[in-house]
Amino acid sequence: YGLHLSGELNENMMRLIYRYPQMPVEGFATSALQPKLRAELVEQVRSQLAGMDKETAVNTLLGFFHTLPYQIDEERHGFEKPYFLEELLYYDKCDCEDRAIAFTYLLWNALGVNCQLIAYPLHESAAVSLPDSPEAGGWDYDGCHWRSADPTYIGAKIGDVMPQYRTTVPKIDKTYREGL
């Protein structure tokens, strides 16, 4: 997808947060462990997607996340371990909530796209609200129309929902939007 992200991680911090206490997914999404690294990542995404219309930029970033190697936490760590965005760069594999946390952070901070971190039973995902977006599919919430943008559903574009969740209303864990 033509994207490349790089940065310098504090490996000591990765060891420190390995057994970080469980908290709602929103807490992992809104905590910034290395603000300088995050700013660098935001600038890299912003510059690499510059000139694209919002829908193309979102779909490109979505495709990038689809290329990340997948493994559930129980297989990898032996317990549920949501990653802070920084950990996504440290570990060589990730699962749905890790992708959704990083994806929504970059959507909002690099592209200025209204987005949501959403939860289905046993699956964390994302949604976007784009201007001039088709009203078909999705849901309305707080004056905006939202459509799925799932960073784990390989090959999916904006609006595509995993078949097992097509009739399920997601729980909203975090909304990134002006005024919130």
Side-chain angles (χ1 to χ4, degrees):
Y1 289 88
L3 290 175
H4 176 78
L5 300 179
S6 64
E8 189 172 316
L9 286 165
N10 178 339
E11 189 171 351
N12 291 325
M13 183 176 292
M14 298 301 110
R15 290 185 194 126
L16 177 71
I17 62 172
Y18 183 71
R19 293 247 183 222
Y20 198 83
Q22 293 293 311
M23 63 180 161
V25 172
E26 179 183 359
F28 289 93
T30 57
S31 300
L33 304 179
Q34 293 185 247
K36 182 180 177 211
L37 172 62
R38 284 186 179 220
E40 291 169 0
L41 295 173
V42 163
E43 186 50 42
Q44 289 172 43
V45 169
R46 187 178 291 138
S47 67
Q48 291 176 58
L49 299 178
M52 294 181 183
D53 64 80
K54 293 286 188 191
E55 186 147 343
T56 301
V58 171
N59 278 323
T60 300
L61 189 59
L62 196 57
F64 170 77
F65 274 87
H66 292 162
T67 67
L68 300 177
Y70 183 87
Q71 186 176 31
I72 62 171
D73 292 329
E74 288 75 12
E75 292 173 3
R76 169 110 183 142
H77 302 288
F79 58 95
E80 180 61 27
K81 172 148 183 46
Y83 292 167
F84 294 98
L85 182 147
E86 292 84 353
E87 290 178 287
L88 189 77
L89 300 174
Y90 182 72
Y91 295 108
D92 62 346
K93 296 180 180 167
C94 58
D95 67 3
C96 63
E97 78 272 358
D98 310 324
R99 291 176 188 207
I101 287 166
F103 179 65
T104 54
Y105 181 87
L106 293 172
L107 282 174
W108 176 246
N109 290 283
L111 302 176
V113 170
N114 292 338
C115 58
Q116 293 178 324
L117 190 58
I118 59 174
Y120 294 101
L122 304 174
H123 181 59
E124 194 74 23
S125 188
V128 295
S129 179
L130 298 171
D132 304 321
S133 174
E135 294 293 316
W139 59 92
D140 293 318
Y141 174 78
D142 201 24
C144 292
H145 186 73
W146 301 89
R147 293 188 303 153
S148 175
D150 192 331
T152 304
Y153 187 20
I154 306 302
K157 301 287 186 201
I158 297 170
D160 294 339
V161 179
M162 286 184 179
Q164 64 267 39
Y165 300 120
R166 289 189 181 142
T167 59
T168 305
V169 176
K171 173 184 165 281
I172 299 164
D173 287 332
K174 166 83 177 141
T175 299
Y176 293 91
R177 188 177 145 216
E178 283 186 48
L180 294 180

